């Protein structure tokens, strides 16, 4: 290199652009309510982690599944359900609603088109409109689950088929 040439300096993106996290117009404001499937799954996980917000509400009813609407927002609702051993939902779908089901405590078995699937505490299932399944507490202990529906649940059509014959569940 001769004395007339300026040495080439490599600058990092941060040196060139600055800290993009400090540039306000590039930041999206935090949403007040979830709007994507990932955000609804995140909402479900955050509620699951906040036991103090829901565990005092749980009741067990041997005659029917117990449920409580925990929260609503624009276009969605959150339900808390308890399941005593042997209780099940019966084969059903959720109409036009998508959903996220999170097992909070215990264990549930989901019977669907692809056969049974055991869901332990912390397991999460995401489903689209029209997805049919049957959820049952096959364990010897109570179970608790959280269900987020978007849009809010307006129908839950029951299907007349046996969970032992999952091929009869619609796609």
């Amino acid at each position: 290199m001769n004395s007339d040439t300026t040495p080439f300096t490599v600058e990092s993106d941060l040196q060139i652009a600055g800290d993009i996290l400090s540039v306000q117009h590039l930041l999206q404001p935090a949403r007040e309510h979830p709007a994507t499937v990932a955000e609804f799954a995140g909402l479900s996980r955050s509620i699951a982690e906040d036991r103090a917000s829901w565990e005092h509400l749980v009741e067990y009813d041997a005659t029917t599944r117990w449920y409580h609407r925990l929260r609503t927002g624009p276009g969605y609702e959150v339900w808390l359900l308890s399941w005593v051993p042997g209780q099940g939902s019966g084969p059903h779908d959720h109409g036009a609603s998508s959903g996220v089901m999170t097992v909070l405590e215990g264990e549930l078995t989901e019977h669907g088109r692809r056969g049974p699937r055991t869901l332990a505490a912390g397991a999460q299932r995401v489903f689209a409109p029209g997805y049919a399944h049957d959820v049952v507490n096959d364990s010897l202990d109570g179970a608790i689950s959280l269900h987020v529906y978007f849009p809010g649940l307006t129908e839950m059509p029951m299907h007349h088929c046996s969970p032992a014959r999952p091929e009869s569940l619609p796609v």
Side-chain angles (χ1 to χ4, degrees):
M1 174 175 355
N2 64 33
S3 60
D4 319 350
T5 309
T6 309
F8 181 70
T9 305
V10 176
E11 295 181 343
S12 71
D13 290 343
L14 186 59
Q15 289 170 312
I16 295 167
D19 182 0
I20 63 166
L21 296 179
S22 66
V23 181
Q24 291 301 313
H25 72 279
L26 296 178
L27 296 176
Q28 290 187 355
R31 287 195 242 256
E32 183 179 351
H33 297 283
T36 66
V37 172
E39 289 172 346
F40 283 110
L43 170 66
S44 186
R45 281 191 301 276
S46 68
I47 293 171
E49 292 168 1
D50 185 13
R51 288 186 72 87
S53 71
W54 55 264
E55 76 179 336
H56 66 283
L57 299 169
V58 176
E59 298 177 22
Y60 289 95
D61 186 335
T63 60
T64 186
R65 277 184 308 134
W66 174 88
Y67 51 91
H68 172 78
R69 187 163 54 192
L70 194 59
R71 183 184 299 182
T72 60
Y76 72 93
E77 57 189 11
V78 180
W79 290 87
L80 184 64
L81 283 77
S82 70
W83 312 70
V84 300
Q87 281 182 335
S89 64
H92 68 281
D93 68 58
H94 305 93
S97 297
S98 293
V100 178
M101 176 178 75
T102 304
V103 179
L104 302 178
E105 194 171 284
E107 186 176 282
L108 295 171
T109 303
E110 178 189 38
H111 298 271
R113 189 169 177 86
R114 294 184 177 157
R117 180 181 309 193
T118 300
L119 305 169
Q124 205 166 46
R125 292 284 292 128
V126 175
F127 50 86
Y131 175 76
H133 63 168
D134 182 9
V135 180
V136 181
N137 181 356
D138 286 330
S139 76
L140 298 176
D141 297 310
I144 304 168
S145 58
L146 186 77
H147 303 249
V148 180
Y149 299 106
F150 48 97
L153 196 61
T154 58
E155 61 179 326
M156 196 171 105
M158 299 306 289
H159 296 265
H160 302 289
C161 61
S162 165
R165 295 181 45 223
E167 67 278 358
S168 62
L169 286 172
V171 178

